Amino acid sequence: MPAPQNTGFTAQEGHEIGLRVFRPFETDRLLPVWVYFHGGGFTLGSYDARDNFCKKIAEQSSCLVVSVQYRLAPEHPFPQGLHDCYEATAWLAENASALGGDGSRLAVGGESAGGNFAAAVSLMARDQGGPKILHQTLLYPALDCSGSLPSRDEEDTNYLLTQDMLTQFGNAYLPAGQDRKDPYCSPIFASLSPDLPPALLITAEHDPLRDDGNLYARQLKAAGVPVVHKEYANMIHDFVLLMPRYLKESREAIYLVNRSLCLAFQA
C-alpha cells in the first residue's frame, strides 16, 4: 500500500490538528473513511502510534483510515482532546474528498482512551446535528471516568493497564472539580437513543476497563442501537493491537472490526 500521508487543518481555536492518512491502494474513486483515535490514557501517544493496525484496517476494509493527532493532557485536559476529535470528524465529513475519501460514508473508532473519544464523538454528533456517523468501533473503551465499576478494582485485571495508571490518567485528564460523570467524558452516564451509530464493542476478561465496555454494550442495546459485542476470555487490555502475531483472539477481533466496517460502509 502507499506510504501514510501526514496532513492536517487549522482548528477553530487556531491550533493545528494533525491527520495521518492510510490509503489501501491508488484509485480515482472516493473511499469510505474510518476516523481513528489512538489510546494512551488521554496523556500519551500520537497519530502514528498504531501504524500497523491502521494499515491493516485500510487494506482489509478498503477504506481510508485517518488517525487524529488530538491534544494531550495534562497540558490539555478535558474537553480539549475530545473537541479535537469531534472537529476532525466534522472536518473530514466536509473535506475528505481532498484526501481521496467519501465524507458521506464515515465511521469512527478507537482503543481505550480513543474508544472513549469515539463514543463521545458519536454522542456529540447526535447532539449537535452532525456529522453523520455510520458506525462506532470501541475497543476495550474507557467509558466511566468516575471509576465506579467493579472491574477497575479486581486483582486479576491489574495487568498492563494497572489501577495506579488509571488513577494517574484520570487525574491528568480530569482535574479536581471536574464532573467525572459528564456524559462526554463518561458515556455510560449519557442519555442514549436509537439514532446513535451502530457499534462494535470488544472487551477483555482481565482488563480493568472490562465493565465499562460490557455495560455500555447493554445500555446501547436497551436504547435500540444495533450492537455487536464480544468479551474475550483470558485476554488483557490492548490484546487486539499488541499481539495479533501471536494470538488467534487478536486476529479474530481484527476480523470483526473489518467485517463491521465493511457492512456499515456497504449499507
Side-chain angles (χ1 to χ4, degrees):
M1 63 182 294
Q5 171 192 357
N6 292 339
T7 183
F9 66 99
T10 302
Q12 292 180 3
E13 295 180 13
H15 62 282
E16 290 296 309
I17 298 178
L19 305 173
R20 188 163 171 86
V21 182
F22 300 82
R23 188 186 316 277
F25 42 72
E26 295 295 348
T27 178
D28 291 333
R29 63 186 175 90
L30 298 180
L31 299 174
V33 180
W34 192 47
V35 189
Y36 184 72
F37 312 123
H38 66 82
F42 308 104
T43 68
L44 303 169
S46 67
Y47 65 178
D48 58 359
R50 300 301 194 181
D51 273 14
N52 288 339
F53 177 68
C54 290
K55 289 175 183 177
K56 191 170 298 184
I57 300 302
E59 288 178 332
Q60 296 180 5
S61 296
S62 296
C63 68
L64 206 69
V65 175
V66 182
S67 182
V68 178
Q69 183 67 70
Y70 56 83
R71 289 173 291 175
L72 300 173
E75 293 81 4
H76 302 284
F78 173 83
Q80 296 180 50
L82 171 60
H83 284 174
D84 289 350
C85 292
Y86 175 75
E87 195 167 344
T89 304
W91 186 89
L92 286 162
E94 296 294 327
N95 299 281
S97 59
L99 305 175
D102 180 355
S104 69
R105 291 188 293 160
L106 183 145
V108 297
E111 99 275 0
S112 197
N116 173 294
F117 286 145
V121 164
S122 298
L123 291 168
M124 292 181 74
R126 177 201 62 182
D127 297 344
Q128 299 188 28
K132 174 68 175 176
I133 296 174
L134 299 178
H135 190 270
Q136 52 182 322
T137 305
L138 311 179
L139 305 179
Y140 24 81
L143 300 173
D144 174 23
C145 289
S146 74
S148 62
L149 298 176
S151 63
R152 294 193 176 225
D153 297 317
E154 294 175 2
E155 286 301 318
D156 69 350
T157 65
N158 206 28
Y159 299 103
L160 189 67
L161 178 63
T162 66
Q163 289 138 9
D164 287 344
M165 292 168 66
L166 283 171
T167 299
Q168 293 171 14
F169 292 150
N171 290 340
Y173 185 52
L174 300 162
Q178 172 64 48
D179 179 9
R180 296 195 173 204
K181 292 186 178 181
D182 184 310
Y184 288 154
C185 72
S186 293
I188 65 163
F189 297 107
S191 176
L192 305 181
S193 56
D195 53 345
L196 286 166
L200 169 66
L201 275 122
I202 291 175
T203 54
E205 180 183 10
H206 300 297
D207 181 359
L209 301 181
R210 179 196 67 218
D211 289 348
D212 295 40
N214 290 352
L215 174 58
Y216 200 58
R218 295 194 298 271
Q219 291 174 328
L220 287 171
K221 288 178 182 178
V225 178
V227 175
V228 174
H229 171 228
K230 181 159 186 178
E231 179 187 313
Y232 281 85
N234 303 316
M235 295 293 107
I236 63 174
H237 188 74
D238 218 13
F239 78 97
V240 178
L241 278 68
L242 289 182
M243 294 175 271
R245 182 177 297 181
Y246 306 106
L247 296 177
K248 63 179 178 59
E249 291 87 352
S250 302
R251 296 189 292 274
E252 179 188 310
I254 291 172
Y255 168 79
L256 285 178
V257 172
N258 284 310
R259 182 175 183 273
S260 296
L261 288 175
C262 288
L263 290 174
F265 292 144
Q266 289 170 7

